[in-house]
Amino acid sequence: MNLPRLRLFFTLAFCALADTLQTSINRTFVIDYDNNEFLKDGQVFRYVSGSLHYFRIPKQYWKDRIIKMKASGLNAISTYVEWSLHEPFPGVYDFEGIADIEYFLELIKDAGMYVLLRPGPYICAERDFGGFPYWLLNKTQQKSLRTNDPTYKEYVKKWFDVLMDKMKPYLYGNGGHIIMVQVENEYGSYFACDKNYTLWLRDLFRSYVQDKALLFTTDGCGTSYMKCGSIPEVYATVDFGASVNDSQDCFKYMREVHHSGPLVNSEFYPGWLSHWQEPNPLVFSKDVVRVMKQMLSLNASFNFYMFHGGTNFGFTSGANMNLNTPDAGYEPQLTSYDYDAPITEAGDLTEKYFMIQKTLFESKFLIQNEILPFWEPKARYGEFVLNPLASLFDEATQRIKPVISDSPLTFEFMDVNTGFVMYETNLSHDQKDIFSPTILNITGLRDRAIIYKDNVKIGTMCRAKGNTTMSVNISLSDEKLSILVENQGRVNYGSFLEDRKGILHQVKLGNKTLGPWKMTAHPLNETSWISSLKPVKKVQLPAYFRSEFVLPDIYRYFKLSDTYLDPSGWTKGVAFLNGINLGRYWPLGGPQVTLYVPGVFFLQPPAVNTLIMMELEGAPADLSVKFVDKPQLDGPITL
Ligand SMILES: *[C@@H]1O[C@H](CO)[C@@H](O)[C@H](O)[C@H]1NC(C)=O
Ligand SMILES: *[C@@H]1O[C@H](CO)[C@@H](O)[C@H](O)[C@H]1NC(C)=O
Ligand SMILES: *[C@@H]1O[C@H](CO)[C@@H](O)[C@H](O)[C@H]1NC(C)=O
Ligand SMILES: *[C@@H]1O[C@H](CO)[C@@H](O)[C@H](O)[C@H]1NC(C)=O
Ligand SMILES: *[C@@H]1O[C@H](CO)[C@@H](O)[C@H](O)[C@H]1NC(C)=O
Ligand SMILES: *[C@@H]1O[C@H](CO)[C@@H](O)[C@H](O)[C@H]1NC(C)=O
């Protein structure tokens, strides 16, 4: 009937032979459509897996997280591969440090676990632009992403040639432990529904994977998702969380594509993602266990998404678009990706973890219960005072040559990936034959702006609140209008994926179009230059602040524990420790207050640690910040 079935026939024939010869040289991972099971080397195989993303965890902690997942009873780990991390610029590849995916795979292999690999190329994952590199927006035509467009496909193939060459030895049939490889990602949730693209992508995957691992797709719980997401001769699976009454309500959509085969939930949500200025969603352990038990009794295989979430360090978090409020539906995600997962952001085991472990033990999925320390002490490194350094209005902080243009340009057009762009224009007399106050209108604001007149703040605007106009008092003399635009993370899901940043349309003051514009980028991708800035007495916001400190001598002899940066009293900005971007902080937006800081980011005494904060809107009078031993991810929300 279809190819997998044919392959199964040969596999079984061979296994029988291999058994008699007592040698199992051929490694196979296939589907038994007659008995609704996976077969590994001819034997029934099921997995209970957990998602773990190497790109959200310091490399030094990968092994610890893998061992903890293994001890919970899981026999597999699922990971996305993030294109933007590995190909930051076209044709420039990075597989070092946190991008060392081969080392990550080796660690999983050492733990005796299998891998479900999800290379995308699009991955969603609550990451900036769904894992696509930002430069694709400057290389491809509009509406061409995730379609049969030749330019888009050319970049995908070039990237996959590099990636899949590295993945080949890890495929099960080649002696490795990758048993499944996912094609695309929830493609049924995307408007394009381009079958020519998915068939092309399938054949591209086949050219690397052949029959050395099983190809699969993952889509939402519904007919329409499966219709556009499933691909002929690729195993279609569903995803759903702990809120379903009966997991059959979702598995039935798998059966609309494959009338038989093992049931698979590729993303079973034991927690959920969270946005700024929204309460943190919680998922109850008892619901997780209830649905787990259903799936185990159906002999289903499933993957917890996430089992350990980790952190969106730097500017890596993405955003959602709420289609119910298209003008104000932009929902940027937090720096923390704790996810209310069984293992916390800092790697600690939760009640949820132990309830899952118990369930797997009782169901005989887990044979031996391992005892692990479930909590690592966190450090309270204390309070530090920061010195003001320089304002974004000072030339010393303007590292990139400004661009001049009649119309405002997007970040991507100027080849700016992250951070901020200051858009400046002179309000001349002929733009002021209008009565004051008048309305400043920045339609196409992506995503948040602070507005200044002659360097004095006069207001903020916010795409997420649909608030892109304000009343401005103007005078008859010449004035400078400055608009500092923040990229809060590119949309990662659904049909609004092409989320260019900056100012997309002309800016209007009354009925006048403003310009020309001088645009100065502050990508904050690099902070070493800040070491040349000397402390000053007072600084105008937005500005850089710095503290240099040596940890107490005792830490010469002990491992540096993890901690949390508590920016309470500060307003909104970005923090760096020893050149590492810890991520965006926004205690006033909530609900996330503290930023997770792994101990390995600090330097042991006598080395000097450098903490830098780029604060946008308000610093506390004493300019102090604390490292505390408890996270706060559920602080008050301001609207
Ligand atoms: C593996 O199986 C294939 C058929 O599926 C057979 O042609 C090949 O000789 C086998 N390899 C070994 C090393 O036995
Ligand atoms: C890409 O950026 C360059 C300038 O950096 C610009 O000239 C070009 O038009 C851009 N292309 C697209 C498709 O945006
Ligand atoms: C898909 O390919 C077929 C055959 O090449 C072509 O007729 C059809 O127009 C294509 N569809 C789209 C949406 O590009
Ligand atoms: C689940 O069951 C409850 C009570 O029977 C019902 O109110 C609810 O609508 C059901 N939810 C779904 C998604 O079917
Ligand atoms: C699950 O598998 C067992 C054999 O391992 C079998 O006895 C049972 O009938 C299966 N249950 C379902 C619902 O398929
Ligand atoms: C605004 O005017 C000042 C002083 O004439 C000039 O230096 C600056 O380049 C102008 N800015 C823009 C964006 O035209």
Side-chain angles (χ1 to χ4, degrees):
M1 180 185 88
N2 55 26
L3 262 186
R5 194 183 280 265
L6 203 64
R7 203 179 306 146
L8 170 69
F9 172 77
F10 285 115
T11 307
L12 284 180
F14 173 74
C15 283
L17 182 68
D19 283 346
T20 42
L21 296 177
Q22 296 288 300
T23 54
S24 175
I25 302 159
N26 270 352
R27 292 161 64 92
T28 57
F29 189 78
V30 296
I31 287 175
D32 176 351
Y33 284 95
D34 295 329
N35 295 301
N36 301 328
E37 299 281 9
F38 290 112
L39 294 179
K40 187 168 71 64
D41 305 333
Q43 302 293 312
V44 169
F45 180 85
R46 297 172 199 149
Y47 59 80
V48 176
S49 157
S51 282
L52 180 71
H53 297 152
Y54 58 96
F55 46 82
R56 285 184 155 120
I57 302 154
K59 185 178 184 179
Q60 297 95 320
Y61 294 175
W62 288 350
K63 189 174 177 181
D64 171 78
R65 307 305 193 251
I66 291 166
I67 287 170
K68 285 169 175 166
M69 287 172 71
K70 165 95 172 174
S72 76
L74 307 182
N75 62 349
I77 286 180
S78 169
T79 186
Y80 280 129
V81 181
E82 189 176 42
W83 185 1
S84 60
L85 172 69
H86 297 290
E87 194 177 355
F89 307 101
V92 176
Y93 300 100
D94 184 0
F95 291 94
E96 300 288 314
I98 202 168
D100 189 356
I101 184 173
E102 288 164 282
Y103 178 64
F104 183 71
L105 293 176
E106 291 288 348
L107 291 174
I108 299 174
K109 194 173 185 180
D110 292 348
M113 301 173 83
Y114 297 96
V115 173
L116 318 173
L117 191 74
R118 310 174 79 189
Y122 159 84
I123 59 169
C124 183
E126 286 74 66
R127 296 288 277 190
D128 182 77
F129 197 10
F132 277 144
Y134 80 99
W135 49 261
L136 264 190
L137 284 170
N138 184 261
K139 298 282 185 197
T140 53
Q141 297 297 309
Q142 294 203 355
K143 299 214 184 299
S144 66
L145 298 172
R146 306 176 77 192
T147 74
N148 208 28
D149 175 75
T151 310
Y152 164 72
K153 289 195 301 187
E154 189 187 311
Y155 284 107
V156 171
K157 179 167 184 328
K158 228 174 126 229
W159 156 233
F160 274 1
D161 280 349
V162 173
L163 172 70
M164 295 310 285
D165 190 50
K166 291 181 184 290
M167 294 300 100
K168 256 180 208 165
Y170 296 99
L171 299 174
Y172 188 72
N174 293 334
H177 55 319
I178 299 175
I179 49 176
M180 312 246 299
V181 179
Q182 186 184 282
V183 182
E184 249 284 346
N185 185 58
E186 290 191 332
Y187 190 65
S189 304
Y190 194 56
F191 73 90
C193 198
D194 184 337
K195 294 287 179 186
N196 289 356
Y197 164 58
T198 50
L199 286 173
W200 171 82
L201 193 62
R202 176 198 68 185
D203 292 343
L204 183 66
F205 269 103
R206 274 186 179 165
S207 72
Y208 310 112
V209 176
Q210 297 162 345
D211 60 353
K212 308 299 182 192
L214 195 78
L215 297 185
F216 74 110
T217 56
T218 302
D219 278 287
C221 171
T223 301
S224 70
Y225 298 123
M226 298 304 278
K227 192 171 141 279
C228 289
S230 63
I231 308 171
E233 294 160 34
V234 175
Y235 197 61
T237 70
V238 280
D239 52 24
F240 57 87
S243 62
V244 295
N245 284 344
D246 184 345
S247 54
Q248 291 281 25
D249 294 345
C250 290
F251 284 136
K252 72 179 183 209
Y253 296 111
M254 263 190 83
R255 286 283 178 257
E256 288 180 1
V257 182
H258 305 286
H259 301 305
S260 63
L263 296 175
V264 179
N265 180 354
S266 290
E267 289 191 2
F268 174 52
Y269 310 110
W272 195 244
L273 59 100
S274 37
H275 302 117
W276 291 109
Q277 297 179 288
E278 272 178 23
N280 236 336
L282 297 176
V283 174
F284 295 111
S285 304
K286 65 171 175 37
D287 290 324
V288 175
V289 167
R290 179 179 58 84
V291 179
M292 250 184 100
K293 284 183 172 163
Q294 288 175 9
M295 293 192 290
L296 287 167
S297 70
L298 291 168
N299 296 337
S301 287
F302 55 96
N303 169 60
F304 289 97
Y305 186 100
M306 299 294 298
F307 204 81
H308 169 52
T311 309
N312 294 312
F313 292 113
F315 296 117
T316 57
S317 62
N320 278 308
M321 275 300 284
N322 182 345
L323 302 184
N324 296 323
T325 51
D327 291 331
Y330 175 74
E331 300 172 330
Q333 286 131 12
L334 303 182
T335 298
S336 170
Y337 201 60
D338 178 85
Y339 213 84
D340 193 25
I343 301 177
T344 68
E345 178 176 17
D348 293 326
L349 311 184
T350 61
E351 183 219 22
K352 200 175 278 177
Y353 175 98
F354 291 107
M355 284 177 70
I356 289 169
Q357 187 188 50
K358 183 164 169 276
T359 309
L360 291 176
F361 191 64
E362 285 168 359
S363 75
K364 307 267 192 297
F365 195 89
L366 173 61
I367 305 304
Q368 199 182 346
N369 244 340
E370 286 184 55
I371 310 295
L372 284 178
F374 61 90
W375 183 77
E376 294 261 354
K378 303 292 177 284
R380 217 183 307 169
Y381 291 116
E383 186 169 305
F384 299 95
V385 173
L386 288 87
N387 291 306
L389 297 176
S391 166
L392 260 60
F393 289 110
D394 296 339
E395 253 172 51
T397 66
Q398 296 164 11
R399 311 290 302 168
I400 294 176
K401 197 170 164 279
V403 177
I404 312 280
S405 159
D406 283 343
S407 309
L409 303 175
T410 63
F411 280 43
E412 291 75 16
F413 193 89
M414 295 185 282
D415 202 22
V416 178
N417 181 9
T418 55
F420 303 79
V421 171
M422 184 76 89
Y423 292 76
E424 294 190 304
T425 192
N426 292 324
L427 301 177
S428 58
H429 286 299
D430 62 342
Q431 277 159 335
K432 293 192 179 172
D433 52 354
I434 24 182
F435 297 103
S436 182
T438 184
I439 299 296
L440 176 68
N441 190 342
I442 315 183
T443 54
L445 171 65
R446 305 275 188 276
D447 301 300
R448 191 172 182 277
I450 311 178
I451 326 289
Y452 308 84
K453 214 175 56 172
D454 287 336
N455 297 2
V456 176
K457 180 179 162 187
I458 56 170
T460 58
M461 291 186 189
C462 199
R463 170 191 187 189
K465 303 290 165 211
N467 140 25
T468 54
T469 59
M470 68 178 285
S471 170
V472 178
N473 285 311
I474 50 175
S475 70
L476 282 176
S477 56
D478 283 348
E479 292 176 309
K480 182 179 73 169
L481 181 77
S482 306
I483 306 169
L484 182 65
V485 179
E486 177 184 357
N487 167 1
Q488 291 184 284
R490 293 185 184 83
V491 169
N492 57 52
Y493 176 78
S495 297
F496 285 85
L497 202 55
E498 277 174 59
D499 190 20
R500 290 174 177 77
K501 296 303 184 185
I503 300 178
L504 269 49
H505 309 304
Q506 298 282 13
V507 176
K508 296 262 195 171
L509 186 62
N511 56 9
K512 298 282 180 183
T513 297
L514 299 184
W517 294 91
K518 176 179 159 195
M519 289 154 287
T520 312
H522 299 268
L524 304 193
N525 51 355
E526 213 275 308
T527 55
S528 61
W529 59 273
I530 296 176
S531 64
S532 67
L533 298 178
K534 299 272 172 290
V536 294
K537 279 217 154 48
K538 213 172 166 331
V539 78
Q540 189 204 342
L541 293 178
Y544 292 94
F545 298 81
R546 177 176 60 211
S547 176
E548 291 172 315
F549 57 90
V550 178
L551 291 178
D553 222 39
I554 182 102
Y555 289 111
R556 269 177 205 254
Y557 312 104
F558 291 102
K559 185 184 118 193
L560 294 175
S561 297
D562 297 353
T563 182
Y564 304 90
L565 180 74
D566 182 355
S568 296
W570 298 73
T571 307
K572 188 178 198 310
V574 190
F576 302 83
L577 181 65
N578 298 323
I580 302 169
N581 187 337
L582 302 176
R584 302 177 178 94
Y585 65 84
W586 193 8
L588 241 69
Q592 176 173 7
V593 176
T594 55
L595 294 181
Y596 171 58
V597 189
V600 291
F601 288 1
F602 286 91
L603 300 174
Q604 267 171 317
V608 177
N609 288 280
T610 305
L611 175 71
I612 288 169
M613 291 171 73
M614 202 289 275
E615 168 61 42
L616 293 167
E617 291 179 77
D622 66 356
L623 298 183
S624 76
V625 71
K626 289 194 208 72
F627 288 103
V628 298
D629 58 3
K630 284 191 187 56
Q632 194 189 358
L633 297 178
D634 56 353
I637 311 287
T638 53
L639 298 174

